[in-house]
Structure formats: C-alpha cells, structure tokens
Amino acid sequence: MAENQKPRVGVFICHCGTNIAGSLSIEEVMDYARTLPGVVVADQYQYMCSTPGQNKIIDAIKEHDLNGIVVAACSPRLHEPTFRTATSEGGLNKFRFEMANIRDQNSWVHMHDWDGATEKAKDQVRIAVAKARLLEDLQPKSVAVEHAAMVVGAGVGGMQAALDLANAGIKTYLVEKLPTIGGRMSQLDKTFPTLDCSQCILTPKMVDAGRHPLIELKTYTEVENVEGYIGNFEITLRKMARGTYDGPEMIAAGREGSGCNGCGDCAEVCPVIKPNPFEMGMAPRKAIYIYHPQVMPLQYTIDFESCVKCGLCKEICGPEKNAINLDMVDQLEKVKVGCVILATGYDLIPIEDKTEWGYKKYENVITGLEFERLICASGPTGGHMIRPSDGATPMKVGFVLCAGSRDNTGGVAKPYCSRFCCMYSLKHAHQLMEKIPGCQPYIFYMDIRSFGKMYEEFYYRIQNEGCKFIRGRVASVQEDPVTKNVYVMTEDTLLGRPVTIECDLVVLAAAIQPKPDAERIRQMFGISKSQDGWYLEAHPKLNPCGTTTAGIFLAGVCQGPKDIPDTVAQAEGAASAASIPIHQGEVQLEPYFAQCVEDLCAGCGMCVPQCPYKALALIEKDGKKVMEVTEAKCKGCGTCGGFCPGGAIRMQHFTSPQICAQIDAFLLGGRGGEE
Amino acid sequence: MAEKDWRPKIIAIICNWCSYAGADLAGGARVQYPPDIRAIRVMCTGRVDPLFIMKAFQDGADGVLVSGCHFGDCHYLEGNFKCAKRMFLMKNVLKNIGLDDNRLRMTFVSASEGAKWGHVMEDVVKTVKELGPSPLVERKE
C-alpha cells in the first residue's frame, strides 16, 4: 500500500457468545464505530475467532480495500496471532491489525454496568481505530536458532526433558547444583500408588542421562548469568570447585593421573564429620563425599566449607589417580543454546516455624522426607523403622496432613494444596503396616485428595488394611517428657468432639515451597512468578509448559506442586515445545525495533546507557554524530524511545504519533491524532 | 454536570508483560472495578515518554496511571526502573505547573496479581474522584 493512501479501517466486534454481548451493547458500539474517521466498514459476529468470523475479516479486506483492521474482542495476549493471520490471509501486512480488549478488560470486569461498559467499549474501539489508522507494514525478523538446549535442574523432570531433547537429536546441557543428578526422587523409598522402588525406576534414567552422547552433565554447577533471547541464549555457568577431577577433566587440566574413579578411599580417611543433607541430617557425612550411593557421575566432591585441608585424602588418592586438588577454584563457562527448560523443583517449608506441631522441639516429630529416609533400605537405619528418641520400633504413628498446606494463617503456611502429601502419607501408612506387624497408623486429615489414576483405589486399600482416619486439623502436638511419646490433639469433625491420641511417632506432611534460589533464577531468565512464588506458565490451560519469555519452558514442581507422573508428563511436554524452534532452525521475532531518525538526532548519546542490551551506539555519519541501533540486540522495549529528548527514536509499532493518537482519541473524542 | 454524575477520565499506560496480563487475569477472575480507566498497551513502561503524560493532561485527563512489572521482574531487565525515575520527575513537573501530583500514579502489578489490579483500579478512581475534574479542563471551558 502506498504510504499516502488514506486510512480505510474495518472494525469487527465479537460477541464472544454472551461473554461480551451479555454485558454491553454490541449494536451501539458497532453503530458508533461506523461514525469514526477512517472507518469504512463495521461488522459484528458471535465468535470472531471462528472460521466464519475470520472469513469476515478476509472478505472485508478484499471487498472494501481495507488497510487497517480492528477487532474488538478478547485480549491480544490470547487472539492477536489468530487475527494477524486472518489479516495476512486477506492480503494485508499482518501488523496492520489492532485489537480492542473489550472482554478481559471490559465486559468481564464491568458485568453489572451496562452503560459504563458500553461507553468504555466505544472509547476502546475509538482508541484502537486511532492506532489502526497509523499502522504501517512491518516485516518480522528471522533469527537462526542454536541447535542446543539447556535444562536447569536434574531431578526426574529435568532428566526426562534432557533425555527427550537428546533423543530428538538436540545437544543438551543438563545443569544441576548438587554433585549428582537425580533430585528429590532419589531420596524417596517407594512411590505411590504402585509401590515401585523409587531408586529402581530412577537410576536407569540417571544412567541414560549420564551416558547419552548428546547430554552434557553439568553437575555441581549453577547458572551465573543469562544473556540473549530465543534461539541465542548465552548462558554463563559457574562450575563450583569440586576439589576432584574425573578422567576427562584431568586431561583438560593437563594433570598426570587417571582421575577420580569413585573408590572412596579418601572419604574413609577424611577426619571431618558433618550431617548428611541427603539423609536429612540423620546420618554422618565426611567433608569429601558422594551425595548418595547411586550418584551420577560417580565422582567425589569436597565440601570446602567444612574441609580442614589436612591433605589426608590427597595422600591416599596417590599419584596414580592424583584426583584431588585442595586449591581448586570456581570456573566460569559460557554456553550458547536455543531454548531453556527450567526444572528447579521444591523444598519443604521450615515446618518448625509452625510451633504447634513441635517439629525440632520434640524428637519424635519428623517430616515425611525424614520418614522416607528412615524406612528406606539405603537409609541411615538400613530400612529398620525406628523412632529417633530411643531407637524403639513405633507401634502407633500419627500422620498430620496439610501441615502448612491449605492454611491461611500466614507466616510459613501456604494457602495452596501441596498435592502429593495425602498420597505419600497413605503410602507411609501402608509401609508401616507391612513392615511392622501390629503397627497402627492414624491419619489426621482435612480431606483426602486421591485424584490420580488408581489413587482412590489405593486409598480404599489402605482403609481396608486397617489404617485409622480421623478427620480434623491437628491443633497441637505435645510430648510426654518421660516416655517421649507424643500426644496429637484435634477435633474429630465427624464425631464433633475433641480427641487426643498418644503416638510413638508423628510424621508431618509438610507443605512445599519453591527453592530458595528460584527467585534469582527466575529474574535471570526474565520469567514471571505466580502469587505463591511458583514460576508462571504462559497460560494455565493452553500453555502450561511455556512462559511469557519465548524460548523458556517449565517442567515439574517449579511451576506448581505436582507428583512424579505429572512432572514427567510436563517435562516431556516442555521438551517437545522446546524442540520445535530448535528443529525449525529459525524463529520470527516481532519487529518492534528502535530506529534512529537521523534528521532529528542531535548525537547527544543520552539514549546509549538507557538500553539494557547495549544495542545502541553513537557513530559518525556524514560528518555528524548519530545513534545507530544493532537490530539483532534490540528487544523492542522502547526505553530509549521513551527517553530521547529530541524525539529522534522511532519505536516500530509503538511510535510516538501512534501512542499520542491513542491518547488524543480517548480524551479528545477522536478529533486529535490527524497526521 | 452534577457533581455526583461526574465520571473522571483516566488513562492508563501499561506494560504488555506484567500489568496488561494482570488486568487480563482480573477479567478472567471477574474482579469488578469502576469503568473509568482506558488502557493503552506498550511493551514496557520504559517506553513511556514524559511527553505522553503531558499530552494526556493537556488533553484534559483527570488522572494518569502508569503500571509495570515489579522491580527485578521487568521483561526487559530495567525498563520499569527507568520509567519510575521519569515518573518521579514528572510528579515534580506537575506540582510546578499547579496540578496535584496525585493525579499521576505509577504502580507495579504482576501477571499473577489480578486482584491487585482491581484494587489499583478502585483506588485510582477514588483518588481522582476526590481530586475532582482536572483544573486544565475547567480553564478550557
């Protein structure tokens, strides 16, 4: 279209069933739209996003020779791509489309104000038409996508995502902060409802991930910095000083010797003893350690915070292996990837802060994770279930569900359901009854949420096995100082009276929360969080694996509480979504770039430090200093354009004349904005 | 126009990634608020030129709201921070030209804060209603 062509705008108003039409007058808005300058056709339809709705746009472009399209419907965050496609199918440049959000930001929020909503919709259409009249043809910019991906967090979700990506032929960096991959699942004994041994089903995945030729394990490594955008993320990793070298690292470091083979001689001689975090602090660990017996990679790690640098480990390791370096320092490394999947997992809340349940005050009050370690054959007791105070076999065990979940009292408590505690507590009850004949579990619950496949059946099974269920939120747990038995006090809401049950052991099904560094990682990758701190998905229903930042995807509990099957399913979804741009090889970026209007640019250079991406620079051109934009670096935020004192920076698709026309259209009733 | 029938004209310039998404979320959750605010979408509050604020008041806006991501959450790292600095400046400019600086407000509403967006809407409308019509409009008439 020639630049001097007069605006010919078509306005299309969507009923969205009764979503919009039930709260404001479509007819009135349409009649009003016809009176606006530049509008040559206005129409309405039940569902503009349907095929007949879109055909209306396509046909109208041809019939009325339109050069601007306005759809008044839902949010551009939902349907802008749909209508841009229709605009383009009608033969117009797809950026000649503007949306008026009369649903999410009008009919849904002014449901009982017909006149107010109708007036607002008219204004919204007028504002959109004002912009549509000034829209221009733009060309999306294609950028190449690096044929590599990164997965942050190597729990079961991260490993699954990495395996799927690698099996699809994509080089994948699997980054893990701990010295081993495996994550939370490696701490569990059995998994519900099938009672599979957790390690037995996890270790094959760990081995696959460790041996896959296209997966590069980056254990004991943190993300330090993130630059770039979809297709071209440049990520700096901090490889934390591990104190030992494996074979390839020996060669890279130019050291003589074979490197760490995991023999464990060093740990035997190490004199420093610390609590083992893998065993929830219930077993000792040396300063040189492997995280647990099935680690991947099998390589010892020195905890430099507790190491006294006595050198005994180095001595016993000997010159043949020569694996230990007590003076090792962190190393930074840069990798380039096309897409990233975050799978950072969760922690338990500090349940000791809910003092009414006495965790850390009474010895025989433990968390569900501690229970997992105590009953696990590879745990500190070799799988013999004991209670901490005296090592006796517990015969009456109370399980406190919703310990900090579904709790609006504030503090460390969480309003949400942590989703897997009901099921693992049922499993714990089963394990007790199976291992200890005569052991009586009591489950104190609000509701049993057994929502998954075969979960309800598992619940019935545990009921039939003899577990007692008491419906009531536990008010208090008190210890008998002599016997160390714990009394669980609650109101049985089904009987309508208070009950107190003396237990040998109490297990708290503590709520879960995001990892402490989840916030730092989120800000580095530029994604949003939900109100409760979990990472925010792009759409709760239709894009649960994506984020609003292109090229960043989510898997597992970091996006919200979920159990293992849901985590694995989401990981596979995220891997599939991440592989799409990588396999396509290029992505199209919206061309919202800054441009320098050289006639207006005074060459002051004040815009240069405004740009967070260093996309701007001052150059000499025709004997005059002007600003130059590197389009590949510009992300189109417009911070420079909002700052330039001379108005010399033009933000494509968000130009100052366009925005001023919108302001004028609203406040001056469409009289302004004429160019 | 009778005092109680007067409805303020308030313009909101909001960022695509946080506040616009938060406003959409308020819609999904059917949070109800007064219909006196019209939103203009920009990619980032960093795009907000002080000129836009002046233009709005010159055109007779009774209030202007600029809303972006929380600090540290900006989709473009620091656009909201740079905007906040400009808004601070603009509040001073408004005071100097004799406008109540409460007519200009900057808020931070994330994509998950639909309920907060509703509160912001209520609060901005209430504040501007208490301040009454913009004196620039009265002078014009």
Side-chain angles (χ1 to χ4, degrees):
Chain A
M1 186 198 75
E3 281 303 312
N4 56 3
Q5 196 182 329
K6 278 215 177 299
R8 295 182 64 81
V9 179
V11 178
F12 302 88
I13 301 157
C14 181
H15 295 229
C16 197
T18 56
N19 279 317
I20 296 170
S23 301
L24 54 85
S25 169
I26 302 280
E27 287 294 321
E28 222 178 291
V29 176
M30 187 175 66
D31 290 343
Y32 175 75
R34 291 197 173 114
T35 68
L36 291 170
V39 173
V40 291
V41 59
D43 203 349
Q44 44 83 26
Y45 192 66
Q46 278 278 324
Y47 295 101
M48 280 310 297
C49 58
S50 65
T51 306
Q54 293 187 58
N55 285 341
K56 272 184 182 288
I57 300 174
I58 297 166
D59 296 343
I61 292 172
K62 290 169 184 158
E63 191 182 331
H64 299 280
D65 189 25
L66 301 180
N67 56 29
I69 302 297
V70 168
V71 174
C74 51
S75 171
R77 295 173 55 87
L78 187 66
H79 266 315
E80 190 174 66
T82 316
F83 296 123
R84 275 186 174 171
T85 306
T87 305
S88 148
E89 277 178 24
L92 265 186
N93 181 282
K94 70 173 184 175
F95 292 97
R96 286 184 173 271
F97 167 76
E98 178 69 12
M99 206 151 173
N101 187 340
I102 62 166
R103 190 188 75 177
D104 303 50
Q105 296 185 20
N106 187 341
S107 67
W108 276 354
V109 290
H110 314 306
M111 295 175 86
H112 315 296
D113 186 351
W114 182 271
D115 293 340
T118 306
E119 280 311 305
K120 180 169 173 177
K122 287 182 190 170
D123 285 355
Q124 286 177 304
V125 167
R126 190 169 73 238
I127 291 168
V129 167
K131 178 155 181 184
R133 295 167 62 208
L134 299 176
L135 289 173
E136 313 154 309
D137 288 0
L138 298 175
Q139 298 310 324
K141 185 184 159 70
S142 283
V143 292
V145 177
E146 189 75 21
H147 202 78
M150 177 177 287
V151 179
V152 181
V156 64
M159 287 193 299
Q160 184 66 49
L163 280 167
D164 284 7
L165 287 167
N167 286 334
I170 296 162
K171 163 90 184 173
T172 305
Y173 299 93
L174 181 54
V175 179
E176 171 58 51
K177 190 172 64 172
L178 290 175
T180 176
I181 61 174
R184 277 284 170 223
M185 193 176 161
S186 58
Q187 284 181 291
L188 309 182
D189 179 42
K190 299 276 190 298
T191 57
F192 59 78
T194 52
L195 301 172
D196 285 314
C197 158
S198 182
Q199 282 282 25
C200 308
I201 55 176
L202 184 70
T203 39
K205 279 211 191 298
M206 289 168 65
V207 172
D208 285 354
R211 297 227 171 113
H212 201 292
L214 283 176
I215 296 180
E216 195 171 326
L217 292 191
K218 297 278 181 194
T219 51
Y220 214 48
T221 299
E222 286 187 319
V223 178
E224 180 81 6
N225 189 36
V226 180
E227 282 176 23
Y229 48 90
I230 181 170
N232 300 279
F233 289 107
E234 273 194 31
I235 300 174
T236 310
L237 299 175
R238 173 178 292 273
K239 191 168 186 247
M240 292 181 283
R242 167 172 217 154
T244 64
Y245 299 90
D246 66 5
E249 286 168 346
M250 291 294 281
I251 297 163
R255 281 168 72 95
E256 295 280 319
S258 60
C260 181
N261 63 2
C263 68
D265 292 345
C266 49
E268 274 186 25
V269 298
C270 178
V272 181
I273 295 177
K274 286 273 164 186
N276 184 347
F278 178 76
E279 303 289 2
M280 306 305 289
M282 295 183 296
R285 185 180 87 180
K286 297 296 184 66
I288 185 162
Y289 66 95
I290 50 171
Y291 201 65
H292 58 77
Q294 286 117 316
V295 289
M296 171 63 70
L298 178 55
Q299 181 185 357
Y300 274 74
T301 305
I302 298 176
D303 170 12
F304 279 108
E305 273 183 23
S306 48
C307 174
V308 294
K309 301 209 175 178
C310 64
L312 284 173
C313 52
K314 198 174 159 72
E315 213 171 279
I316 194 127
C317 189
E320 227 163 80
K321 292 188 287 259
N322 191 24
I324 294 172
N325 176 2
L326 292 172
D327 302 312
M328 197 183 261
V329 290
D330 292 1
Q331 283 176 331
L332 296 181
E333 181 192 2
K334 259 193 182 177
V335 295
K336 205 170 171 193
V337 297
C339 290
V340 178
I341 295 176
L342 300 180
T344 55
Y346 69 96
D347 269 342
L348 298 186
I349 61 166
I351 193 69
E352 61 272 23
D353 290 359
K354 295 286 284 183
T355 50
E356 60 265 42
W357 297 317
Y359 179 63
K360 285 198 175 163
K361 191 161 79 174
Y362 307 138
E363 286 175 78
N364 291 329
V365 178
I366 63 173
T367 64
L369 262 181
E370 287 168 344
F371 185 96
E372 294 285 347
R373 295 316 303 153
L374 284 175
I375 204 149
C376 181
S378 69
T381 59
H384 295 289
M385 190 62 210
I386 57 163
R387 64 178 200 163
S389 70
D390 51 10
T393 305
M395 296 307 289
K396 286 170 89 176
V397 181
F399 291 92
V400 178
L401 266 52
C402 296
S405 302
R406 305 174 66 199
D407 182 339
N408 287 315
T409 56
V412 297
K414 304 292 177 190
Y416 50 80
C417 167
S418 297
R419 268 188 110 216
F420 46 62
C421 334
C422 282
M423 289 308 295
Y424 78 58
S425 297
L426 291 173
K427 179 203 70 176
H428 288 170
H430 167 82
Q431 287 179 290
L432 279 176
M433 292 185 288
E434 185 182 67
K435 280 207 167 185
I436 308 170
C439 179
Q440 178 63 60
Y442 296 89
I443 291 186
F444 299 90
Y445 70 103
M446 299 213 287
D447 304 284
I448 295 289
R449 297 191 162 176
S450 51
F451 51 85
K453 189 175 179 181
M454 297 304 286
Y455 287 11
E456 189 70 10
E457 291 85 339
F458 188 70
Y459 175 29
Y460 289 142
R461 177 178 165 188
I462 308 308
Q463 284 177 335
N464 291 330
E465 283 174 355
C467 177
K468 290 200 169 138
F469 290 82
I470 297 164
R471 187 172 182 275
R473 172 151 236 161
V474 172
S476 165
V477 173
Q478 300 287 341
E479 183 189 60
D480 179 332
V482 180
T483 63
K484 301 280 178 190
N485 285 351
V486 268
Y487 292 85
V488 183
M489 283 165 246
T490 184
E491 181 196 340
D492 187 326
T493 56
L494 297 180
L495 294 177
R497 60 177 167 82
V499 292
T500 300
I501 296 199
E502 182 182 2
C503 296
D504 301 332
L505 180 71
V506 164
V507 184
L508 302 177
I512 58 170
Q513 64 183 16
K515 286 273 188 188
D517 50 357
E519 187 69 6
R520 189 180 66 91
I521 289 176
R522 178 179 76 77
Q523 292 187 345
M524 272 193 292
F525 284 99
I527 60 166
S528 303
K529 64 174 172 183
S530 315
Q531 234 154 353
D532 38 29
W534 304 108
Y535 294 160
L536 187 68
E537 63 283 347
H539 191 283
K541 301 277 179 287
L542 304 177
N543 197 351
C545 300
T547 67
T548 48
T549 301
I552 311 280
F553 302 88
L554 304 176
V557 183
C558 66
Q559 181 258 333
K562 51 182 74 66
D563 56 8
I564 293 168
D566 287 4
T567 292
V568 173
Q570 194 184 21
E572 300 206 278
S576 160
S579 69
I580 294 168
I582 293 176
H583 280 312
Q584 283 175 334
E586 62 170 32
V587 283
Q588 294 205 329
L589 301 183
E590 286 175 326
Y592 304 158
F593 305 119
Q595 291 172 326
C596 177
V597 184
E598 288 172 6
D599 289 345
L600 294 176
C601 180
C604 69
M606 284 166 76
C607 52
V608 175
Q610 287 287 311
C611 179
Y613 305 107
K614 303 183 179 71
L616 311 182
L618 271 190
I619 55 157
E620 283 273 334
K621 200 170 177 185
D622 306 330
K624 180 189 166 200
K625 270 193 177 165
V626 289
M627 183 272 276
E628 189 188 51
V629 184
T630 309
E631 270 193 8
K633 288 184 180 172
C634 175
K635 288 200 187 183
C637 62
T639 304
C640 55
F643 186 78
C644 177
I649 297 176
R650 197 169 175 282
M651 291 309 304
Q652 292 201 125
H653 208 64
F654 291 92
T655 66
S656 294
Q658 286 168 356
I659 295 173
C660 288
Q662 288 177 290
I663 296 171
D664 285 342
F666 168 39
L667 295 159
L668 303 177
R671 282 179 282 126
E674 309 278 350
E675 267 200 333
Chain B
M1 199 188 289
E3 184 88 341
K4 70 175 171 51
D5 294 335
W6 173 71
R7 305 212 74 154
K9 286 196 158 203
I10 302 168
I11 198 153
I13 308 180
I14 61 182
C15 85
N16 179 62
W17 303 100
C18 292
S19 290
Y20 200 91
D24 280 352
L25 188 69
R30 310 298 194 275
V31 173
Q32 302 294 302
Y33 55 79
D36 301 310
I37 299 181
R38 310 289 181 262
I40 289 177
R41 181 171 69 122
V42 289
M43 294 313 279
C44 178
T45 50
R47 176 69 188 96
V48 180
D49 192 323
L51 172 87
F52 301 158
I53 313 287
M54 291 315 285
K55 177 100 187 142
F57 282 115
Q58 192 188 349
D59 285 357
D62 300 305
V64 175
L65 168 70
V66 176
S67 190
C69 310
H70 289 277
F71 289 143
D73 283 8
C74 177
H75 192 76
Y76 305 100
L77 308 178
E78 51 197 34
N80 55 351
F81 186 68
K82 285 174 174 146
C83 176
K85 289 210 287 197
R86 289 176 211 158
M87 291 308 111
F88 187 69
L89 175 80
M90 287 311 293
K91 273 176 165 281
N92 275 325
V93 172
L94 292 189
K95 269 191 264 186
N96 281 325
I97 62 171
L99 272 180
D100 193 312
D101 66 343
N102 287 319
R103 291 187 187 276
L104 172 63
R105 169 91 67 94
M106 181 163 192
T107 59
F108 308 96
V109 177
S110 80
S112 62
E113 293 176 328
K116 183 176 174 186
W117 179 255
H119 293 311
V120 166
M121 294 291 99
E122 296 268 358
D123 200 48
V124 168
V125 171
K126 183 167 164 274
T127 308
V128 175
K129 272 190 171 168
E130 279 167 5
L131 291 167
S134 163
L136 297 180
V137 177
E138 284 181 345
R139 239 172 259 155
K140 216 184 262 175
E141 279 161 359

